[in-house]
């Protein structure tokens, strides 16, 4: 029997942050099959050629293979058009997470009050240190944090 990753979205707001009355609020539930034989998009996430510094790579989900190079500092991720990394899917909250790339090995991801949360290496956490090779799941997006060799 295949395994499934369940993601649902519910933020209680419409366009312009207009609140939706409780009787009209319904979550969106999506079940995404998890392929046990999946090959990662990056073979050696701690040593990616052609990338200087850190990057996020979409390993599975919409737009697999897409890469964002990360500058030191905080990067916002979400479905809102004002986010640094726009993840276009209803399972992603408008302001879903904040990823901070620090100096050395001091990197952290924090949930920004999302509905579905963030998963780091399969575990749902509100805040966690991250390193090259870690899988970050936001909605349907399975992202790998990678470090390039320059």
């Amino acid at each position: 029997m295949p395994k499934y990753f369940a993601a649902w979205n519910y933020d209680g707001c419409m366009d312009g942050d207009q609140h939706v009355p409780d009787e009209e609020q319904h979550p969106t539930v999506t079940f995404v099959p998890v392929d046990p034989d999946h090959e990662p998009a990056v073979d050696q996430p701690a040593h990616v050629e052609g990338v200087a510094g850190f990057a996020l790579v979409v390993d599975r989900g919409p737009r697999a293979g897409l890469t964002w190079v990360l500058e030191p500092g905080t990067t916002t991720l979400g479905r809102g058009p004002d986010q640094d990394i726009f993840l276009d899917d209803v399972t992603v909250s408008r302001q879903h997470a904040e990823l901070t790339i620090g100096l050395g090995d001091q990197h952290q991801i924090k949930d920004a009050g999302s509905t579905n949360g963030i998963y780091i290496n399969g575990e749902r956490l509100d805040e966690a240190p991250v390193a090259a090779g870690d899988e970050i799941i936001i909605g349907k997006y399975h992202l790998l944090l990678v470090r390039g060799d320059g």
Side-chain angles (χ1 to χ4, degrees):
M1 172 179 252
K3 293 184 179 180
Y4 289 87
F5 170 76
W8 61 281
N9 184 47
Y10 167 71
D11 59 17
C13 295
M14 293 177 23
D15 294 336
D17 291 330
Q18 179 182 14
H19 184 71
V20 178
D22 288 340
E23 63 274 4
E24 295 179 24
Q25 295 178 0
H26 304 284
T28 301
V29 179
T30 306
F31 291 94
V32 181
V34 175
D35 181 3
D37 300 323
H38 171 72
E39 293 291 326
V42 179
D43 292 332
Q44 302 260 338
H47 304 285
V48 178
E49 292 182 30
V51 173
F54 284 87
L56 274 180
V57 177
V58 180
D59 184 45
R60 287 183 275 169
R63 302 172 72 182
L66 183 64
T67 302
W68 291 278
V69 175
L70 302 169
E71 298 292 327
T74 301
T75 301
T76 58
L77 298 93
R79 187 171 40 95
D82 59 336
Q83 300 300 288
D84 298 321
I85 295 179
F86 176 66
L87 300 174
D88 188 19
D89 189 78
V90 297
T91 60
V92 178
S93 295
R94 287 180 180 93
Q95 297 174 345
H96 203 104
E98 295 177 352
L99 176 62
T100 302
I101 300 298
L103 300 175
D105 292 328
Q106 301 297 318
H107 319 298
Q108 185 160 336
I109 190 160
K110 180 180 177 182
D111 190 309
S114 71
T115 300
N116 291 329
I118 55 174
Y119 292 78
I120 311 304
N121 299 320
E123 185 178 350
R124 184 172 178 164
L125 300 168
D126 290 330
E127 191 171 339
V130 290
D134 285 346
E135 179 185 49
I136 301 167
I137 300 174
I138 296 178
K140 290 183 181 180
Y141 291 86
H142 292 243
L143 308 164
L144 289 178
L145 181 63
V146 301
R147 183 175 64 210
D149 289 333

